[in-house]
Amino acid sequence: MYTMRAIIFTLFFSFCFLSSNAQNLKGTITGSVQDRNGLPLSYGYVLLDGTTFGTVTNEQGNFILKAPIGKYILTVKSIGYQEIKLAMTISDSKNPEINVVLEEESNELRTIEVTGVKVKSASATRTVLELLNVPQAIVVLGQKTIDQQGAFDLTTIVRNMTGVNFNGNYSGAGSYQFFNARGFDLSNSQNYRWNGMMIWNLGNNYSDNIEQVEFLKGPTSILFGDVAPGGIMNFVTKKPLADFTVDFDLKLGQWNLVRPALDISGPITKNKNLRYRLNTSYEESNSFRKNVAYDRLVLAPTIAWDINSKLSLNVEAVFKKAASTDDPGLVSPDGTIAGLNTLDPSLYLSETTHQYQFNDQSYFATLTYQLAKNWRVRAVGFAGNTMNRPFGIWPDQPDSLGNLARSEYGYYQKLNNQSSSIDIYGSLYTGTIKHNLLLGAEFQATNYRYTNEGYLSPFDTTNISNPNSSIPGTVSPLNSPFLPFVSQIQRTGFYLQDQIMFFNEKLHFLLGIRAGQTKQGNHYFQEELPGTDYEGYTDDIVSINVLTPRIGLVYKPKRNMSIYGSYSEGYEINSPDIFALNYLTFSTPPATSSSQVELGAKMNLLKDKLGLSLSVFRINKKNPYGYVYLDPENPNYDEYNVYYDGYHRSQGIELDLDGKISKVLSLTAGFALTDATIINDPGYASGNKLPNAPKYTGNIWLNYEPEKKLKGFTVGTGVYYKDKFFSGIDNNPDLEIPPSYTIDAAIGYKYKQFGAQLNATNLTNQINYANPWVFNLFEVRPLRRMVLTLTYNFQKKSR
């Protein structure tokens, strides 16, 4: 690793002083792209036909492009707008400036959002580079696929993201979800972003104010600091529109699902420099699982203000409230997966009096200033407050007669999260060499407290064939007092990145570095310690400074094709585990480090209608957090020791396809081969497979929309496959979850402003399992379900 760092630093400083050697005599084109309301069109394409020269408009709709002198056809296009072609001449004496206004496509055409490697991922990459030019595997899922599949939760959406797997829910549907990517579990406090800002994963993060979901695969510490190496999930929110628009959506389905949603947007002022958007939804549903229900409410207002031609402000708020019946899932009668299959999948082993409750208020502000034609500075602020209350039942392993002990847990957690960042991004030429520079700094701080440690306490004994229900006298956990300490995470980072394009922009060299500091641990309130279990404890804040490099190479033999390679490093700061019996031994645990080598190819096929991405990767993770139970045969889940040692490796191949394969047929498909293995580990055998990491996964969704006959109809179907995997790192063969698949289908019709669509999930009613806790509890994935979606859209265009 250190040799690789020396090479990276040498290359970095060498390229910083790279002199321009004129490959051809060139001229420069500058300009802007706007819509008919005079608002900038970000991430639009500006291309010289028949060449590899092209660029993307920035957040202000501006662009700069340098090319050899000569005559060209300039193509300007943006998703949802009619493209324009202009004849032009580039000379070395006069720099043409092109200002273009694009007209919208019809409403039907605007909904055809091609993804794959064509969509930009500005929030996640913090640049406006085409994904074709980014030396990293990135998946972007937009509204078109989400609408086709009738998705309204993150588990449905993630099925379309190759290499990303759903592990299960915290305590049943309606709570929050766990995910695994490239063989490694995502961290609730590290791997989730909202418009690039860190959020906690404690509730359902997908809601109707989300425009697209992005996933950056592999270590991303250069941009985001300490994160688990699987990747970053980023949610991009909808922004206010210049025309008055109303979208109403009502979902009705099995298990008494009712889900109305409203999206309304438009101008506040006549010149449309002040605009608003409001997304709100309410959802309530039962489950195929007996006695289980949940409800969710989301309210998300947004204001956008173009203060002047250079300065803009976007302010957002998101309010969430949810409650769901506790559902621990099933426990096998004989401790095997085969035993699970003897149980009714709807069997309920908890109590309806126990619920997971979640309240969250988040506030975002983004201020953007145009420094020059192709340079901007952006400052982002975020503040959030969360209160959640897990309250549940934990069934133990049944005896030979089916009798099982049940334990209870419950506590309140309050969390305060604050983030701020500032970055400068732009492009410039030194001779014929183009630089895409990103310079930034960020700060993030989280404080959270608990009312108790969540220990299990005896509740009752019941029988798995006839479990008790509605036990009277259940006492909900108290919302005070809190434990005499506060857990803290504080991240500070400075980053610099330059993507250098030379040899007629066919060869790109990416160099980046981040200097970061993370402080993480517990601060004890000494005046509150006497008489508690924490008497005598002192602060155990771990502070680590890390220098993180990144290097990438992109070769573009054609404008619509790229071949890339990259090396990146990552790290995770481990908090002291105060619940471990050997806590004092590891009161200042070491950091976990990771590194990734990735090779890949990206291309746009079928006249840029279909995006294809292929990647091969290897991730090495060292000093991971691990634990072993004092009695592995009959574990008490509150009695364990931790360690921070070992070497885990994940390697694989991923293929993504997304876009249109004909005028009437669209495709979203993927395949992943992942081998996630223990190389060495003090607690478990070398060669064991990492949990929740199936070797093979695959997905395909086809959607048919006729243009002439039967226009307005839409028919779609998809298959999702997940290979067998172990639910625990000990690789107990009796608890290996078998392969599973689901088949979905959809049929819909749109007439003018109205639409109706019927979605069927898990058509063949397959019984599939997940294991979110890597313990003895197994979640049953949803059985067959029908959901009807009714839509109404209204738009009033004004000039």
Side-chain angles (χ1 to χ4, degrees), residues 345-535:
S346 67
L347 178 67
Y348 183 65
L349 298 177
S350 186
E351 295 294 324
T352 57
T353 53
H354 292 57
Q355 283 189 334
Y356 181 88
Q357 297 180 355
F358 173 75
N359 283 275
D360 180 83
Q361 304 88 40
S362 299
Y363 307 91
F364 302 82
T366 303
L367 187 67
T368 305
Y369 181 71
Q370 183 178 334
L371 294 170
K373 192 75 174 177
N374 291 285
W375 286 86
R376 62 103 176 109
V377 58
R378 179 176 57 196
V380 183
F382 162 70
N385 292 287
T386 302
M387 178 73 81
N388 67 312
R389 191 209 68 179
F391 183 35
I393 295 292
W394 192 287
D396 209 343
Q397 186 66 42
D399 62 20
S400 59
L401 299 178
N403 296 318
L404 58 86
R406 296 195 299 178
S407 300
E408 181 185 57
Y409 67 93
Y411 59 90
Y412 278 84
Q413 178 189 21
K414 66 177 181 180
L415 182 148
N416 174 265
N417 187 15
Q418 297 179 347
S419 300
S420 59
S421 70
I422 184 168
D423 60 55
I424 299 173
Y425 178 77
S427 57
L428 60 86
Y429 284 90
T430 56
T432 58
I433 297 174
K434 185 177 183 179
H435 298 263
N436 300 276
L437 285 163
L438 173 67
L439 173 65
E442 66 175 356
F443 174 80
Q444 187 268 325
T446 297
N447 299 300
Y448 55 99
R449 299 185 69 181
Y450 302 90
T451 53
N452 68 68
E453 299 168 340
Y455 283 141
L456 300 173
S457 57
F459 185 71
D460 70 355
T461 300
T462 187
N463 192 280
I464 196 168
S465 62
N466 186 27
N468 299 326
S469 61
S470 302
I471 299 295
T474 297
V475 178
S476 299
L478 299 176
N479 59 10
S480 64
F482 285 86
L483 294 175
F485 65 89
V486 56
S487 298
Q488 299 178 336
I489 304 174
Q490 189 178 106
R491 302 179 175 103
T492 305
F494 301 89
Y495 50 89
L496 172 64
Q497 177 177 294
D498 187 8
Q499 182 148 339
I500 307 165
M501 302 177 177
F502 46 102
F503 297 128
N504 291 333
E505 300 188 11
K506 289 186 176 182
L507 189 63
H508 303 185
F509 197 81
L510 172 69
L511 291 161
I513 192 168
R514 176 189 175 101
Q517 181 189 70
T518 298
K519 296 180 179 180
Q520 191 164 318
N522 303 301
H523 168 66
Y524 294 90
F525 302 105
Q526 294 298 320
E527 67 278 7
E528 300 179 17
L529 296 183
T532 71
D533 293 340
Y534 305 95
E535 188 170 358

Side-chain angles (χ1 to χ4, degrees), residues 19-199:
S19 59
S20 62
N21 54 332
Q23 300 139 16
N24 289 299
L25 195 59
K26 291 187 175 182
T28 304
I29 315 166
T30 60
S32 65
V33 182
Q34 299 177 333
D35 66 10
R36 60 180 179 78
N37 292 304
L39 298 177
L41 288 178
S42 306
Y43 322 129
Y45 289 96
V46 181
L47 310 168
L48 293 180
D49 289 359
T51 76
T52 59
F53 294 99
T55 190
V56 177
T57 59
N58 63 15
E59 288 97 330
Q60 290 74 42
N62 298 322
F63 67 89
I64 181 172
L65 180 63
K66 183 168 283 195
I69 61 175
K71 295 183 178 181
Y72 298 94
I73 299 297
L74 182 75
T75 298
V76 182
K77 56 185 178 179
S78 182
I79 293 174
Y81 293 84
Q82 301 174 22
E83 71 174 44
I84 287 180
K85 291 183 178 289
L86 302 171
M88 62 177 309
T89 300
I90 299 177
S91 68
D92 60 344
S93 59
K94 184 179 180 180
N95 295 333
E97 183 168 345
I98 309 297
N99 297 307
V100 175
V101 176
L102 297 184
E103 293 291 332
E104 296 179 10
E105 298 277 14
S106 64
N107 286 336
E108 291 81 4
L109 291 175
R110 287 201 71 197
T111 61
I112 300 174
E113 183 170 324
V114 182
T115 55
V117 294
K118 284 170 59 58
V119 169
K120 312 313 160 305
S121 185
S123 291
T125 66
R126 295 181 174 173
T127 70
V128 293
L129 292 169
E130 295 182 61
L131 294 190
L132 199 68
N133 295 336
V134 178
Q136 180 181 9
I138 302 175
V139 178
V140 179
L141 200 70
Q143 280 295 309
K144 185 62 178 178
T145 304
I146 293 172
D147 291 343
Q148 288 173 354
Q149 298 180 7
F152 54 95
D153 67 341
L154 198 52
T155 58
T156 305
I157 293 171
V158 163
R159 299 180 307 170
N160 301 281
M161 295 183 167
T162 307
V164 184
N165 294 296
F166 170 65
N167 293 351
N169 291 286
Y170 176 85
S171 63
S175 54
Y176 66 88
Q177 302 87 32
F178 300 105
F179 296 95
N180 179 290
R182 290 191 167 179
F184 298 106
D185 290 342
L186 303 187
S187 166
N188 289 338
S189 63
Q190 298 171 331
N191 291 77
Y192 297 86
R193 296 295 187 275
W194 194 290
N195 293 327
M197 305 300 284
M198 198 285 290
I199 59 171

Side-chain angles (χ1 to χ4, degrees), residues 27 157 208 220 342 500 510 516 538 562 673 684 712 736 739:
I157 293 171
D208 291 86
T220 54
T342 66
I500 307 165
L510 172 69
T538 58
S562 67
L673 185 158
Y684 301 94
E736 184 180 43

